[in-house]
Amino acid sequence: MKPLENKVAVISGASRGLGRAMALALAAQGASLALVARDESALNETAAEARALGVPVETFLADLTSEDSVTALEKAVIARFGKVHILINNAGMNLRKKIHEFTLEEWMKVTNTNLTSVFLMCRAFVPHMKGQGYGRIFNMTSIMAHVSLPARTAYSSTTAALL
């Protein structure tokens, strides 16, 4: 038996980069996967690789900045898997601009994607994790939570807030 067999992981931002790598690592350890992203094509590629490792995998397209979308995602994941043990909040974005060049809409897009989505996902899935004797939440941030670079104000602010 693999260490994560009979465990269900929800991974946002699972279509590429760290999200994809974490999905494949968890699949290799036996976890069933609920993969969430906006890029359907890339998400399907991640899912195909994970399924090749012999685990149940389902893909979900969702706007994690929308309360209604996250509620629908929660219902769909629970309908498919019945439970959740691992939540990885990995979805994020960065707009590289000087602070005085940001519109409020752009600032809110980064903030809602990087920070509000984590609140919405935790609020949706933590109740399903309670009382099972096993639960893990990983909120991915960046080194830029500690040391920023020019034109990364919104990104660094949101990763620091999450940290």
Side-chain angles (χ1 to χ4, degrees):
M1 185 167 157
K2 294 184 177 180
L4 296 178
E5 205 168 308
N6 300 317
K7 301 288 189 268
V8 176
V10 176
I11 306 170
S12 71
S15 61
R16 62 178 60 101
L18 287 173
R20 182 184 187 114
M22 289 184 282
L24 297 176
L26 291 175
Q29 296 301 311
S32 300
L33 302 177
L35 304 178
V36 184
R38 294 176 296 179
D39 183 337
E40 185 173 18
S41 176
L43 189 60
N44 287 335
E45 290 175 17
T46 301
E49 284 188 53
R51 283 186 191 107
L53 296 171
V55 297
V57 178
E58 195 71 44
T59 60
F60 302 89
L61 298 177
D63 174 2
L64 301 182
T65 68
S66 161
E67 187 173 20
D68 290 341
S69 181
V70 172
T71 299
L73 172 66
E74 171 197 2
K75 290 177 182 175
V77 168
I78 296 305
R80 169 61 176 88
F81 292 104
K83 57 189 172 183
V84 172
H85 301 93
I86 301 166
L87 173 61
I88 300 178
N89 289 304
N90 177 65
M93 69 167 302
N94 184 11
L95 291 178
R96 294 179 182 175
K97 288 182 141 184
K98 295 177 182 173
I99 188 67
H100 63 276
E101 295 174 350
F102 265 90
T103 65
L104 180 58
E105 182 179 333
E106 291 168 330
W107 178 268
M108 293 308 298
K109 184 175 182 179
V110 174
T111 301
N112 287 336
T113 300
N114 296 353
L115 188 57
T116 304
S117 68
V118 174
F119 160 71
L120 292 172
M121 291 289 282
C122 287
R123 187 178 70 178
F125 288 103
V126 164
H128 299 285
M129 298 171 77
K130 293 174 82 172
Q132 298 184 110
Y134 182 96
R136 305 290 186 271
I137 299 171
F138 299 90
N139 295 325
M140 304 306 291
T141 66
S142 164
I143 190 65
M144 286 201 217
H146 299 283
V147 179
S148 190
L149 295 172
R152 308 307 199 289
T153 304
Y155 181 77
S156 296
S157 297
T158 57
T159 60
L162 186 55
L163 185 64

